[in-house]
Amino acid sequence: LDVSDEIVNIRTPMLYIYPGQDRILSESSVRKQMDGLKNIRFTRVAGPHLLLQTNPEACAKLIIEHVTCNKRMLPGAATPRR
């Protein structure tokens, strides 16, 4: 399923956490896929391709920061537990 033409219409703020030691996806190929995306933040974290499993603390910190700093959050939204 190729949604390349539709992904540029996503207005929700996105976060891409790239594993710094990824041997499967090159950073240049990831950045090429991100071309045209207006509301995306790219960040690099030390670790291999399965980054969420090998560096969960760093990923969780970035995800919580991304979700809680978003100005589009609705009033009264739940605060994530740390």
Side-chain angles (χ1 to χ4, degrees), residues 24-77:
I24 297 173
L25 294 172
S26 68
E27 183 175 338
S28 62
S29 68
V30 169
R31 289 193 179 271
K32 184 177 179 181
Q33 291 176 345
M34 291 171 46
D35 282 350
L37 300 179
K38 298 176 180 86
N39 208 2
I40 190 163
R41 177 179 159 217
F42 179 92
T43 188
R44 188 182 298 107
V45 171
H49 186 73
L50 297 174
L51 188 58
L52 292 175
Q53 290 80 6
T54 58
N55 200 344
E57 294 86 7
C59 293
K61 181 179 176 183
L62 287 166
I63 293 166
I64 290 169
E65 175 187 301
H66 176 74
V67 171
T68 58
C69 79
N70 184 351
K71 303 295 183 204
R72 296 183 188 177
M73 285 185 67
L74 297 175

Short mmCIF file of all heavy atoms in Angstrom, two decimals, residues 24-77:
data_model
loop_
_atom_site.label_atom_id
_atom_site.label_comp_id
_atom_site.label_asym_id
_atom_site.label_seq_id
_atom_site.Cartn_x
_atom_site.Cartn_y
_atom_site.Cartn_z
N ILE A 24 19.55 -1.21 8.60
CA ILE A 24 18.51 -1.59 7.64
C ILE A 24 18.05 -0.39 6.83
O ILE A 24 17.93 -0.46 5.61
CB ILE A 24 17.34 -2.28 8.37
CG1 ILE A 24 17.84 -3.57 9.02
CG2 ILE A 24 16.19 -2.55 7.42
CD1 ILE A 24 16.85 -4.27 9.91
N LEU A 25 17.76 0.73 7.51
CA LEU A 25 17.31 1.95 6.83
C LEU A 25 18.38 3.02 6.98
O LEU A 25 18.76 3.36 8.10
CB LEU A 25 16.00 2.46 7.43
CG LEU A 25 14.77 1.60 7.25
CD1 LEU A 25 13.62 2.15 8.07
CD2 LEU A 25 14.40 1.51 5.79
N SER A 26 18.83 3.55 5.86
CA SER A 26 19.82 4.63 5.94
C SER A 26 19.12 5.94 6.30
O SER A 26 17.94 6.13 5.98
CB SER A 26 20.55 4.79 4.61
OG SER A 26 19.67 5.28 3.62
N GLU A 27 19.85 6.82 6.95
CA GLU A 27 19.27 8.11 7.30
C GLU A 27 18.87 8.88 6.05
O GLU A 27 17.83 9.54 6.02
CB GLU A 27 20.26 8.94 8.13
CG GLU A 27 19.68 10.26 8.57
CD GLU A 27 20.59 11.05 9.50
OE1 GLU A 27 21.47 10.46 10.15
OE2 GLU A 27 20.39 12.27 9.57
N SER A 28 19.64 8.77 4.99
CA SER A 28 19.30 9.49 3.76
C SER A 28 17.99 8.98 3.15
O SER A 28 17.21 9.79 2.63
CB SER A 28 20.44 9.40 2.73
OG SER A 28 20.67 8.06 2.36
N SER A 29 17.73 7.68 3.23
CA SER A 29 16.46 7.17 2.68
C SER A 29 15.28 7.62 3.53
O SER A 29 14.21 7.93 3.01
CB SER A 29 16.49 5.64 2.56
OG SER A 29 16.50 5.02 3.83
N VAL A 30 15.48 7.69 4.84
CA VAL A 30 14.42 8.17 5.73
C VAL A 30 14.13 9.64 5.44
O VAL A 30 12.99 10.05 5.32
CB VAL A 30 14.81 7.95 7.21
CG1 VAL A 30 13.86 8.68 8.13
CG2 VAL A 30 14.85 6.47 7.54
N ARG A 31 15.18 10.43 5.33
CA ARG A 31 15.00 11.87 5.06
C ARG A 31 14.34 12.10 3.71
O ARG A 31 13.55 13.02 3.55
CB ARG A 31 16.33 12.60 5.18
CG ARG A 31 16.79 12.70 6.64
CD ARG A 31 17.93 13.68 6.78
NE ARG A 31 18.36 13.82 8.14
CZ ARG A 31 17.86 14.69 9.01
NH1 ARG A 31 16.88 15.48 8.68
NH2 ARG A 31 18.35 14.78 10.24
N LYS A 32 14.65 11.24 2.73
CA LYS A 32 14.00 11.35 1.42
C LYS A 32 12.50 11.11 1.55
O LYS A 32 11.69 11.80 0.93
CB LYS A 32 14.62 10.36 0.43
CG LYS A 32 14.07 10.48 -0.95
CD LYS A 32 14.75 9.53 -1.91
CE LYS A 32 14.13 9.66 -3.28
NZ LYS A 32 14.73 8.74 -4.24
N GLN A 33 12.10 10.13 2.37
CA GLN A 33 10.68 9.85 2.59
C GLN A 33 10.00 11.01 3.30
O GLN A 33 8.80 11.21 3.16
CB GLN A 33 10.51 8.57 3.41
CG GLN A 33 10.89 7.33 2.67
CD GLN A 33 10.80 6.09 3.56
OE1 GLN A 33 10.71 6.19 4.78
NE2 GLN A 33 10.82 4.93 2.94
N MET A 34 10.76 11.79 4.07
CA MET A 34 10.20 12.89 4.82
C MET A 34 10.05 14.16 3.97
O MET A 34 9.41 15.11 4.40
CB MET A 34 11.08 13.20 6.03
CG MET A 34 11.05 12.12 7.08
SD MET A 34 12.29 12.33 8.40
CE MET A 34 12.15 14.04 8.82
N ASP A 35 10.62 14.16 2.76
CA ASP A 35 10.51 15.33 1.88
C ASP A 35 9.05 15.72 1.70
O ASP A 35 8.21 14.88 1.43
CB ASP A 35 11.13 15.05 0.51
CG ASP A 35 12.64 15.12 0.53
OD1 ASP A 35 13.20 15.56 1.54
OD2 ASP A 35 13.25 14.72 -0.48
N GLY A 36 8.77 16.98 1.86
CA GLY A 36 7.41 17.47 1.67
C GLY A 36 6.56 17.45 2.93
O GLY A 36 5.48 18.02 2.96
N LEU A 37 7.04 16.79 3.98
CA LEU A 37 6.29 16.78 5.24
C LEU A 37 6.61 18.06 5.99
O LEU A 37 7.76 18.38 6.25
CB LEU A 37 6.65 15.56 6.08
CG LEU A 37 6.37 14.20 5.43
CD1 LEU A 37 6.79 13.08 6.37
CD2 LEU A 37 4.91 14.07 5.06
N LYS A 38 5.58 18.80 6.33
CA LYS A 38 5.77 20.12 6.91
C LYS A 38 5.83 20.12 8.43
O LYS A 38 6.35 21.02 9.03
CB LYS A 38 4.64 21.04 6.44
CG LYS A 38 4.62 21.23 4.95
CD LYS A 38 3.41 22.06 4.54
CE LYS A 38 3.37 22.26 3.06
NZ LYS A 38 2.72 21.20 2.34
N ASN A 39 5.26 19.12 9.05
CA ASN A 39 5.09 19.17 10.49
C ASN A 39 5.73 17.95 11.15
O ASN A 39 5.09 17.23 11.90
CB ASN A 39 3.59 19.24 10.80
CG ASN A 39 3.32 19.96 12.10
OD1 ASN A 39 4.24 20.44 12.75
ND2 ASN A 39 2.07 20.02 12.48
N ILE A 40 7.02 17.74 10.84
CA ILE A 40 7.70 16.57 11.38
C ILE A 40 9.01 17.00 12.03
O ILE A 40 9.71 17.88 11.54
CB ILE A 40 7.93 15.50 10.30
CG1 ILE A 40 8.43 14.19 10.93
CG2 ILE A 40 8.86 16.01 9.21
CD1 ILE A 40 8.29 12.99 10.04
N ARG A 41 9.30 16.35 13.14
CA ARG A 41 10.56 16.59 13.85
C ARG A 41 11.37 15.31 13.76
O ARG A 41 10.90 14.23 14.13
CB ARG A 41 10.29 16.94 15.31
CG ARG A 41 11.54 17.12 16.12
CD ARG A 41 11.20 17.49 17.56
NE ARG A 41 12.33 17.17 18.41
CZ ARG A 41 12.23 16.68 19.63
NH1 ARG A 41 11.04 16.48 20.16
NH2 ARG A 41 13.30 16.41 20.33
N PHE A 42 12.59 15.40 13.27
CA PHE A 42 13.50 14.27 13.15
C PHE A 42 14.48 14.32 14.30
O PHE A 42 15.07 15.36 14.56
CB PHE A 42 14.24 14.34 11.81
CG PHE A 42 15.23 13.23 11.59
CD1 PHE A 42 14.84 12.08 10.94
CD2 PHE A 42 16.53 13.34 12.03
CE1 PHE A 42 15.74 11.05 10.73
CE2 PHE A 42 17.45 12.33 11.83
CZ PHE A 42 17.05 11.18 11.17
N THR A 43 14.67 13.21 14.98
CA THR A 43 15.66 13.15 16.05
C THR A 43 16.37 11.81 15.99
O THR A 43 15.78 10.80 15.61
CB THR A 43 15.01 13.41 17.43
OG1 THR A 43 16.03 13.51 18.41
CG2 THR A 43 14.04 12.31 17.80
N ARG A 44 17.63 11.81 16.35
CA ARG A 44 18.46 10.60 16.31
C ARG A 44 18.74 10.15 17.73
O ARG A 44 19.09 10.95 18.59
CB ARG A 44 19.77 10.91 15.58
CG ARG A 44 20.63 9.71 15.30
CD ARG A 44 21.95 10.09 14.62
NE ARG A 44 21.73 10.71 13.31
CZ ARG A 44 21.91 12.01 13.07
NH1 ARG A 44 22.29 12.84 14.03
NH2 ARG A 44 21.70 12.50 11.86
N VAL A 45 18.60 8.83 17.95
CA VAL A 45 18.87 8.23 19.25
C VAL A 45 19.83 7.06 19.04
O VAL A 45 19.70 6.32 18.06
CB VAL A 45 17.56 7.74 19.92
CG1 VAL A 45 17.84 6.92 21.17
CG2 VAL A 45 16.66 8.91 20.26
N ALA A 46 20.78 6.90 19.93
CA ALA A 46 21.74 5.80 19.83
C ALA A 46 21.03 4.46 19.93
O ALA A 46 20.20 4.26 20.82
CB ALA A 46 22.80 5.92 20.92
N GLY A 47 21.34 3.58 18.99
CA GLY A 47 20.78 2.24 19.03
C GLY A 47 20.56 1.66 17.65
O GLY A 47 20.70 2.36 16.64
N PRO A 48 20.22 0.37 17.59
CA PRO A 48 20.00 -0.31 16.32
C PRO A 48 18.57 -0.16 15.81
O PRO A 48 17.78 0.58 16.40
CB PRO A 48 20.31 -1.77 16.67
CG PRO A 48 19.84 -1.89 18.08
CD PRO A 48 20.18 -0.56 18.72
N HIS A 49 18.24 -0.89 14.76
CA HIS A 49 16.94 -0.79 14.09
C HIS A 49 15.76 -0.95 15.05
O HIS A 49 14.79 -0.22 14.93
CB HIS A 49 16.87 -1.83 12.97
CG HIS A 49 15.64 -1.70 12.13
ND1 HIS A 49 15.46 -0.66 11.23
CD2 HIS A 49 14.53 -2.46 12.06
CE1 HIS A 49 14.30 -0.80 10.64
NE2 HIS A 49 13.71 -1.87 11.11
N LEU A 50 15.79 -1.87 15.97
CA LEU A 50 14.68 -2.07 16.92
C LEU A 50 14.88 -1.17 18.14
O LEU A 50 15.01 -1.61 19.27
CB LEU A 50 14.58 -3.54 17.33
CG LEU A 50 14.25 -4.49 16.18
CD1 LEU A 50 14.32 -5.94 16.64
CD2 LEU A 50 12.89 -4.18 15.60
N LEU A 51 14.85 0.11 17.87
CA LEU A 51 15.21 1.13 18.87
C LEU A 51 14.30 1.15 20.08
O LEU A 51 14.76 1.31 21.21
CB LEU A 51 15.22 2.49 18.19
CG LEU A 51 15.73 3.67 19.00
CD1 LEU A 51 17.17 3.40 19.44
CD2 LEU A 51 15.66 4.93 18.18
N LEU A 52 13.00 1.00 19.88
CA LEU A 52 12.08 1.05 21.02
C LEU A 52 12.34 -0.08 22.00
O LEU A 52 12.12 0.07 23.21
CB LEU A 52 10.62 0.99 20.54
CG LEU A 52 10.15 2.21 19.75
CD1 LEU A 52 8.73 1.97 19.24
CD2 LEU A 52 10.20 3.47 20.58
N GLN A 53 12.83 -1.21 21.50
CA GLN A 53 13.11 -2.34 22.37
C GLN A 53 14.48 -2.23 23.04
O GLN A 53 14.68 -2.74 24.13
CB GLN A 53 13.04 -3.66 21.58
CG GLN A 53 11.65 -4.05 21.15
CD GLN A 53 11.17 -3.30 19.91
OE1 GLN A 53 11.89 -2.56 19.27
NE2 GLN A 53 9.91 -3.51 19.57
N THR A 54 15.43 -1.56 22.38
CA THR A 54 16.79 -1.51 22.92
C THR A 54 17.10 -0.23 23.69
O THR A 54 18.03 -0.22 24.50
CB THR A 54 17.82 -1.66 21.78
OG1 THR A 54 17.63 -0.62 20.82
CG2 THR A 54 17.69 -3.02 21.11
N ASN A 55 16.34 0.82 23.46
CA ASN A 55 16.56 2.07 24.19
C ASN A 55 15.21 2.69 24.55
O ASN A 55 14.90 3.82 24.14
CB ASN A 55 17.41 3.03 23.34
CG ASN A 55 18.07 4.11 24.16
OD1 ASN A 55 17.68 4.35 25.30
ND2 ASN A 55 19.05 4.78 23.58
N PRO A 56 14.39 1.95 25.30
CA PRO A 56 13.03 2.43 25.57
C PRO A 56 12.97 3.71 26.39
O PRO A 56 12.07 4.52 26.19
CB PRO A 56 12.38 1.26 26.31
CG PRO A 56 13.52 0.50 26.91
CD PRO A 56 14.66 0.67 25.94
N GLU A 57 13.92 3.91 27.30
CA GLU A 57 13.87 5.10 28.15
C GLU A 57 14.03 6.37 27.33
O GLU A 57 13.27 7.33 27.49
CB GLU A 57 14.95 5.03 29.24
CG GLU A 57 14.73 3.93 30.26
CD GLU A 57 15.32 2.59 29.81
OE1 GLU A 57 16.02 2.54 28.76
OE2 GLU A 57 15.06 1.58 30.47
N ALA A 58 15.02 6.38 26.43
CA ALA A 58 15.26 7.57 25.61
C ALA A 58 14.07 7.82 24.69
O ALA A 58 13.65 8.97 24.50
CB ALA A 58 16.53 7.40 24.79
N CYS A 59 13.52 6.75 24.12
CA CYS A 59 12.37 6.91 23.21
C CYS A 59 11.14 7.41 23.97
O CYS A 59 10.44 8.30 23.48
CB CYS A 59 12.07 5.58 22.52
SG CYS A 59 13.36 5.07 21.39
N ALA A 60 10.90 6.85 25.14
CA ALA A 60 9.75 7.27 25.93
C ALA A 60 9.85 8.74 26.30
O ALA A 60 8.87 9.49 26.23
CB ALA A 60 9.63 6.41 27.19
N LYS A 61 11.04 9.18 26.67
CA LYS A 61 11.24 10.58 27.02
C LYS A 61 10.92 11.50 25.84
O LYS A 61 10.23 12.51 25.99
CB LYS A 61 12.70 10.80 27.46
CG LYS A 61 13.01 12.21 27.88
CD LYS A 61 14.45 12.34 28.33
CE LYS A 61 14.76 13.80 28.65
NZ LYS A 61 16.15 13.98 29.01
N LEU A 62 11.37 11.13 24.65
CA LEU A 62 11.09 11.94 23.46
C LEU A 62 9.61 11.94 23.12
O LEU A 62 9.05 12.98 22.74
CB LEU A 62 11.89 11.41 22.27
CG LEU A 62 13.38 11.70 22.30
CD1 LEU A 62 14.11 10.85 21.27
CD2 LEU A 62 13.63 13.18 22.08
N ILE A 63 8.97 10.79 23.24
CA ILE A 63 7.54 10.69 22.91
C ILE A 63 6.71 11.51 23.89
O ILE A 63 5.81 12.25 23.49
CB ILE A 63 7.10 9.22 22.87
CG1 ILE A 63 7.78 8.51 21.68
CG2 ILE A 63 5.58 9.10 22.78
CD1 ILE A 63 7.69 7.00 21.71
N ILE A 64 7.01 11.40 25.18
CA ILE A 64 6.28 12.17 26.18
C ILE A 64 6.48 13.67 25.95
O ILE A 64 5.53 14.45 25.99
CB ILE A 64 6.71 11.77 27.61
CG1 ILE A 64 6.19 10.37 27.92
CG2 ILE A 64 6.21 12.78 28.64
CD1 ILE A 64 6.76 9.77 29.19
N GLU A 65 7.70 14.07 25.66
CA GLU A 65 7.98 15.48 25.38
C GLU A 65 7.21 15.95 24.14
O GLU A 65 6.62 17.03 24.15
CB GLU A 65 9.48 15.66 25.13
CG GLU A 65 9.89 17.05 24.72
CD GLU A 65 11.36 17.09 24.33
OE1 GLU A 65 12.20 16.77 25.17
OE2 GLU A 65 11.65 17.46 23.18
N HIS A 66 7.17 15.13 23.12
CA HIS A 66 6.47 15.48 21.88
C HIS A 66 4.97 15.65 22.13
O HIS A 66 4.36 16.61 21.67
CB HIS A 66 6.71 14.40 20.82
CG HIS A 66 5.96 14.61 19.56
ND1 HIS A 66 6.32 15.57 18.64
CD2 HIS A 66 4.86 14.01 19.05
CE1 HIS A 66 5.47 15.54 17.62
NE2 HIS A 66 4.58 14.60 17.85
N VAL A 67 4.40 14.73 22.87
CA VAL A 67 2.95 14.77 23.12
C VAL A 67 2.57 15.91 24.05
O VAL A 67 1.59 16.60 23.82
CB VAL A 67 2.47 13.41 23.68
CG1 VAL A 67 1.03 13.49 24.14
CG2 VAL A 67 2.64 12.32 22.64
N THR A 68 3.35 16.13 25.08
CA THR A 68 2.97 17.13 26.08
C THR A 68 3.32 18.55 25.69
O THR A 68 2.73 19.49 26.22
CB THR A 68 3.60 16.82 27.45
OG1 THR A 68 5.03 16.77 27.31
CG2 THR A 68 3.09 15.51 28.00
N CYS A 69 4.25 18.75 24.76
CA CYS A 69 4.59 20.13 24.37
C CYS A 69 3.77 20.59 23.19
O CYS A 69 3.85 21.75 22.78
CB CYS A 69 6.08 20.26 24.06
SG CYS A 69 6.54 19.64 22.44
N ASN A 70 2.95 19.73 22.66
CA ASN A 70 2.14 20.07 21.49
C ASN A 70 1.07 21.09 21.88
O ASN A 70 0.21 20.82 22.70
CB ASN A 70 1.50 18.79 20.94
CG ASN A 70 0.74 19.04 19.67
OD1 ASN A 70 0.52 20.17 19.27
ND2 ASN A 70 0.32 17.97 19.04
N LYS A 71 1.10 22.22 21.24
CA LYS A 71 0.14 23.30 21.54
C LYS A 71 -1.28 22.95 21.11
O LYS A 71 -2.21 23.61 21.49
CB LYS A 71 0.58 24.60 20.84
CG LYS A 71 1.96 25.06 21.22
CD LYS A 71 2.04 25.45 22.66
CE LYS A 71 3.42 25.97 22.98
NZ LYS A 71 3.79 25.87 24.34
N ARG A 72 -1.41 21.91 20.31
CA ARG A 72 -2.74 21.52 19.83
C ARG A 72 -3.47 20.57 20.78
O ARG A 72 -4.56 20.13 20.49
CB ARG A 72 -2.62 20.84 18.47
CG ARG A 72 -2.11 21.77 17.40
CD ARG A 72 -2.09 21.08 16.09
NE ARG A 72 -1.42 21.91 15.11
CZ ARG A 72 -1.18 21.56 13.88
NH1 ARG A 72 -1.59 20.39 13.45
NH2 ARG A 72 -0.56 22.36 13.06
N MET A 73 -2.85 20.23 21.91
CA MET A 73 -3.53 19.33 22.85
C MET A 73 -4.79 20.00 23.39
O MET A 73 -4.82 21.19 23.64
CB MET A 73 -2.60 18.96 24.00
CG MET A 73 -1.53 17.97 23.61
SD MET A 73 -0.56 17.45 25.03
CE MET A 73 -1.77 16.56 25.96
N LEU A 74 -5.79 19.21 23.55
CA LEU A 74 -7.06 19.73 24.04
C LEU A 74 -6.97 20.06 25.51
O LEU A 74 -6.29 19.36 26.28
CB LEU A 74 -8.16 18.69 23.83
CG LEU A 74 -8.45 18.34 22.37
CD1 LEU A 74 -9.47 17.20 22.31
CD2 LEU A 74 -8.98 19.54 21.63
N PRO A 75 -7.66 21.11 25.97
CA PRO A 75 -7.67 21.42 27.40
C PRO A 75 -8.24 20.22 28.17
O PRO A 75 -9.17 19.57 27.72
CB PRO A 75 -8.62 22.62 27.49
CG PRO A 75 -8.65 23.21 26.13
CD PRO A 75 -8.42 22.06 25.17
N GLY A 76 -7.65 19.93 29.28
CA GLY A 76 -8.12 18.83 30.10
C GLY A 76 -7.58 17.48 29.68
O GLY A 76 -7.95 16.45 30.23
N ALA A 77 -6.65 17.46 28.69
CA ALA A 77 -6.07 16.18 28.28
C ALA A 77 -5.27 15.59 29.43
O ALA A 77 -4.69 16.32 30.25
CB ALA A 77 -5.18 16.39 27.07
#
